Amino acid sequence: MIKSIGIFFALAYTIWVHSLDITAASEYVPWEKGDYAVYADSSNTLTRIEIDIKEEDWMHYTNFAGLGSLWVQTNPGNEQVFIRPTKMAQKQLFIDFNEPEGTIAHVQIDPCNKGSVQIISKKEQLSIPAGEFKNVIQLAFETSCADSGVIYAWFAPGTGFIKWESLSISGPVSTEMIQGTIGKNTYPQGLLISAFFPDPSVIIDMEPPVDPDRPPDTVSAYLIITNNTGRDLTYKFSSGQIFEIKLVDSDGNIISQWSRGRAFTEAIQTLILKQGESWKFGGKIELTTDEGDVIPARDYTLIIEMTSSPDPETDYRQGSERLSASAPLSITHAL
C-alpha cells in the first residue's frame, strides 16, 4: 500500500486566446453594480474591489484604482470621468480619456493624491494575470505625500483599471488585476487549465509480508478546462476516449497509463466547450507495469491530456499542442 500520498495541489496554466471589447457608458470605466475584481500586489496581498452602491448615474467603488473609496460618474457618448471623494462633495473631473497624450487634469483626493493627473500614453500593451490588454491608457499622478499615494494607473478598454503603482516607505508597489467579472466578461480571459496532481513524492510499501492479492497502488490526476474566450470551442475525438493519464520515465517511455485495459467506442465525436463552461476529467492510474509488476523506484513525469485529434475545422489544429498538464512524481520503495 502507499504509505503517504499527501495533499493534492493545483497547477494553473492560462492560454491567452484574445481580448474582448465591449461598449459601455465609458469604454475605460465600464463597471456596473455587481461587477468586481481581485488585485494582487508584489507581496501577494489581495484586494477585492466592487461597486457596492449605485445612485442614479453615480457608482460607489470600494477602491478606485488604488485611490481609495470614491464615487464615480461616467456619461454616455463621451469618456469624461468625474469623481467625488464623498457623496456630498463637489464633483471633480478625473480625466477625459478621449483627450490626447499630455492632457492634464487636477484632483483633490485625500490623503496623498492632491495634484495633477496626466495622460502619458494611450497605446500601452499589458500582460498581467487577468489577461493581455491592448490600447491601454496610462495615467501619471502627482502625489502630495513623500512615501504614499498612487503614481501610475492603467485603464484598459472594456475592462477599466487593471493595474496601479503606488509609493511606500520601501519603494514603489505594483498592484495588478488577477480575476473578476466585469459586464459579460470573466477574467482571466482565455482558455484556463487547472491540473490536480498527487504529492510529488510517493512511497510504495514493499515491506514483508506483501499480500499478492492486494489491489495495485494508484495515484490520481485531474484536469479542469474553463472556456473564458468569449466564444464556443470545438474539439474532435477519434473514439470515446477524451483524456489520457500517463506515467513517463526520463527517457520518454510510457510506464503506465489510465486507458490500459479499458474499452472505448470507436465512433468519431465532436464536443463543444461553450463559453463560460468547464470540463473536468481524470481518474486513478495504477503504479504497475503492463505485466502487473510494481514500477521501479525512480523519478517520473505524470501527464494528463485531452485526446483530441488535430482538425482544421476545430480549435485543435495540426501543429498545435494538445491541452495538457504535467508534474514530477518520485517513487520510492519502503523495503
Side-chain angles (χ1 to χ4, degrees), residues 145-166:
C145 301
D147 54 11
S148 188
V150 175
I151 53 176
Y152 297 108
W154 289 261
F155 288 75
T159 307
F161 53 93
I162 58 174
K163 177 180 178 180
W164 69 83
E165 188 173 306
S166 54

Side-chain angles (χ1 to χ4, degrees), residues 80-134:
Q80 288 184 330
V81 177
F82 295 89
I83 60 171
R84 283 176 173 163
T86 66
K87 183 178 178 181
M88 303 306 295
Q90 183 177 1
K91 77 176 184 180
Q92 311 170 33
L93 175 64
F94 176 70
I95 203 69
D96 185 342
F97 285 105
N98 274 339
E99 292 297 312
E101 293 178 3
T103 297
I104 296 176
H106 295 272
V107 296
Q108 295 290 315
I109 305 174
D110 291 329
C112 293
N113 279 104
K114 301 177 180 180
S116 65
V117 183
Q118 183 177 14
I119 299 175
I120 61 173
S121 176
K122 301 190 74 171
K123 296 181 180 179
E124 295 290 304
Q125 295 188 33
L126 264 66
S127 179
I128 61 174
E132 292 183 339
F133 300 88
K134 298 180 180 180

Side-chain angles (χ1 to χ4, degrees), residues 109-271:
I109 305 174
D110 291 329
C112 293
N113 279 104
K114 301 177 180 180
S116 65
V117 183
Q118 183 177 14
I119 299 175
I120 61 173
S121 176
K122 301 190 74 171
K123 296 181 180 179
E124 295 290 304
Q125 295 188 33
L126 264 66
S127 179
I128 61 174
E132 292 183 339
F133 300 88
K134 298 180 180 180
N135 298 320
V136 175
I137 293 180
Q138 182 181 2
L139 303 180
F141 295 83
E142 179 184 358
T143 63
S144 50
C145 301
D147 54 11
S148 188
V150 175
I151 53 176
Y152 297 108
W154 289 261
F155 288 75
T159 307
F161 53 93
I162 58 174
K163 177 180 178 180
W164 69 83
E165 188 173 306
S166 54
L167 292 176
S168 71
I169 296 176
S170 57
V173 176
S174 180
T175 303
E176 298 178 339
M177 180 177 168
I178 60 173
Q179 69 178 66
T181 298
I182 299 170
K184 296 182 179 180
N185 293 343
T186 299
Y187 303 86
Q189 293 178 349
L191 186 61
L192 312 182
I193 303 177
S194 298
F196 295 83
F197 294 109
D199 188 286
S201 181
V202 171
I203 301 174
I204 298 178
D205 188 0
M206 300 289 289
E207 294 177 348
V210 176
D211 183 357
D213 298 324
R214 77 181 187 192
D217 297 312
T218 63
V219 292
S220 299
Y222 292 89
L223 196 65
I224 300 176
I225 299 171
T226 302
N227 181 5
N228 286 340
T229 66
R231 62 187 180 90
D232 293 350
L233 300 176
T234 304
Y235 298 93
K236 178 177 141 183
F237 300 86
S238 58
S239 72
Q241 183 183 3
I242 64 173
F243 75 94
E244 180 66 280
I245 306 172
K246 298 182 290 188
L247 192 65
V248 180
D249 66 16
S250 58
D251 295 323
N253 300 312
I254 298 175
I255 305 302
S256 181
Q257 56 190 44
W258 173 83
S259 62
R260 185 172 62 197
R262 301 176 187 268
F264 303 95
T265 62
E266 297 182 359
I268 295 175
Q269 59 176 330
T270 299
L271 300 180

